Amino acid sequence: VPLVLATMGRDQEDAGVLYAARPDTGELAVLPDPLGGGVVYRHDDTSGTTMSSDLTSLARDVRYRGGTVTPDQDHQVQRLLTGLGGQAVSPFAHTLPLPPRTFAVMDSRGVSIREYPVFEGLQSLGYEELLERAVHELRANLAALASTPDTPIVAHLTGGFDSRLVLAASIRAGVTERLQFFCSGPEGTADRVVADGITQLLGLRRVSTDANVIPPFRTQAERQLAAMVASAGLSEAAPTGAEIPQNAVAVGGGWGEMYRPAPTRQALSADARGIDVLVGAVPRFNEATAWVKPSALSRVARQFGIVWKSAAAASREEASIPDRLWLDTRARFHFGSNALAISRTTPRFDPLYSCL
């Protein structure tokens, strides 16, 4: 813990993973950032234990050593039902992520999982003080980013709360002139209408492409499947692996939902059944699940129940369970994993990422 807090710190402001070895003791520490956005996966079988933040590399290494990596069909059922809002945590059987806010130490005796003291000293603070700290931290993050010399900084701007929060903070921090802004989608869409209006009102610098440049795909099938292949089946919104490295920094606001209540379709108690949680996560449930076998639906619902109860156990009150669920599942596997993968070609930074 002292090593990673000194190297990365509780105030680590983006998803990342540090691997540290001690030749004198034979120990290897696998250190995701303390908030858990840098997801590390663990696979156990008769060939041993393998850990990696890259599922494709993990699968390749396991197979190289004679092990077996089996795709989990229930993961894909859940992904198709819920899109990016599901609680699926791994596309492979017997391959699971380290729990949030933990790290691993490996040696000749095996693997031990230990917890980071992420929230130490924060529980005693009141709401107003936490809010004040969060505001200060957000502005400081953007000021630090703006101090990067000679590197273009491209921030995503949409009609949503999250990107507008980043914009507002950049204005308050006095660094807006250092940023360029990009909005995806064709003209006339809601995001473009809002982004175009804000751009004109504030005189922002707009660019036509973001910081992640992808060469044209040869076929529609390649376009649709590239992200799934590159992420080993984790997400259709992941990087494709074909991104061209850019001399730029991408700025997103994906973690903005931590600053507002997570949306839910219905109120659920801490002891809610898995099927009730799943119904709340899938629009037009009966229509959407018509193609799913009852046995598969039952397994997916059971997984939802397990994840819901885990979030309930970590929450102070029932009203905050959806927030905990969002933070420890969807946010980690959508924003965290994707940001880490994108950063392998072009750095991605989210100033909203914070333990506050």
Side-chain angles (χ1 to χ4, degrees):
V1 173
L3 168 64
V4 73
L5 290 181
T7 307
M8 304 175 78
R10 181 170 67 187
D11 297 330
Q12 165 80 5
E13 303 302 350
D14 221 352
V17 181
L18 174 69
Y19 298 87
R22 288 193 59 182
D24 57 327
T25 64
E27 291 178 307
L28 172 65
V30 182
L31 306 162
D33 66 273
L35 299 184
V39 181
V40 170
Y41 290 88
R42 171 177 175 172
H43 179 89
D44 292 286
D45 62 15
T46 55
S47 68
T49 296
T50 306
M51 290 190 183
S52 179
S53 56
D54 183 338
L55 276 168
T56 302
S57 298
L58 182 147
R60 182 173 59 243
D61 185 72
V62 170
R63 290 170 179 144
Y64 176 79
R65 293 187 290 105
T68 301
V69 178
T70 306
D72 184 353
Q73 293 185 358
D74 289 345
H75 170 93
Q76 300 306 334
V77 171
Q78 184 182 150
R79 184 185 60 79
L80 290 170
L81 285 175
T82 62
L84 299 175
Q87 314 308 329
V89 295
S90 172
F92 298 130
H94 311 296
T95 305
L96 294 173
L98 296 186
R101 296 167 293 280
T102 66
F103 63 99
V105 176
M106 309 173 72
D107 58 24
S108 59
R109 295 168 295 181
V111 180
S112 63
I113 306 299
R114 308 176 189 179
E115 292 188 6
Y116 289 121
V118 175
F119 301 121
E120 193 174 89
L122 296 179
Q123 294 93 332
S124 61
L125 300 181
Y127 174 79
E128 294 296 333
E129 187 172 359
L130 286 170
L131 182 61
E132 193 173 315
R133 286 194 181 195
V135 169
H136 173 76
E137 184 175 289
L138 176 53
R139 295 177 185 174
N141 290 345
L142 284 160
L145 181 65
S147 67
T148 306
D150 304 324
T151 303
I153 303 170
V154 182
H156 204 197
L157 177 63
T158 69
F161 168 88
D162 305 338
S163 64
R164 287 187 287 119
L165 179 58
V166 173
L167 170 60
S170 72
I171 294 173
R172 293 291 188 178
V175 299
T176 310
E177 292 184 358
R178 183 69 179 83
L179 306 181
Q180 302 173 19
F181 293 89
F182 165 77
C183 180
S184 59
E187 291 187 23
T189 58
D191 278 341
R192 281 293 300 272
V193 169
V194 174
D196 292 346
I198 292 175
T199 297
Q200 185 175 6
L201 177 66
L202 300 178
L204 305 177
R205 288 193 299 159
R206 282 283 289 278
V207 291
S208 58
T209 59
D210 65 5
N212 299 300
V213 179
I214 306 173
F217 291 103
R218 294 168 296 181
T219 65
Q220 186 64 20
E222 187 179 72
R223 176 189 297 275
Q224 296 298 324
L225 295 175
M228 286 287 290
V229 171
S231 67
L234 182 66
S235 171
E236 71 272 27
T240 66
E243 286 78 11
I244 301 171
Q246 301 293 306
N247 178 33
V249 176
V251 177
W255 294 87
E257 206 160 321
M258 292 193 299
Y259 292 81
R260 56 194 168 97
T264 55
R265 293 188 178 88
Q266 58 185 8
L268 295 172
S269 64
D271 59 353
R273 299 180 305 159
I275 189 64
D276 294 327
V277 181
L278 182 58
V279 168
V282 180
R284 300 186 301 277
F285 180 81
N286 291 332
E287 176 186 341
T289 58
W291 58 273
V292 183
K293 288 183 176 181
S295 57
L297 194 61
S298 177
R299 291 193 301 271
V300 170
R302 185 165 57 248
Q303 178 63 31
F304 266 69
I306 292 172
V307 175
W308 178 266
K309 286 179 171 55
S310 175
S315 302
R316 293 186 178 182
E317 52 189 33
E318 284 190 346
S320 64
I321 297 175
D323 299 304
R324 173 67 68 175
L325 195 67
W326 184 90
L327 177 62
D328 287 351
T329 53
R330 181 180 186 270
R332 292 184 73 205
F333 303 104
H334 179 43
F335 299 118
S337 291
N338 287 353
L340 184 59
I342 290 171
S343 291
R344 294 189 177 106
T345 54
T346 300
R348 181 178 175 85
F349 183 80
D350 192 332
L352 301 177
Y353 189 48
S354 167
C355 67
L356 295 171

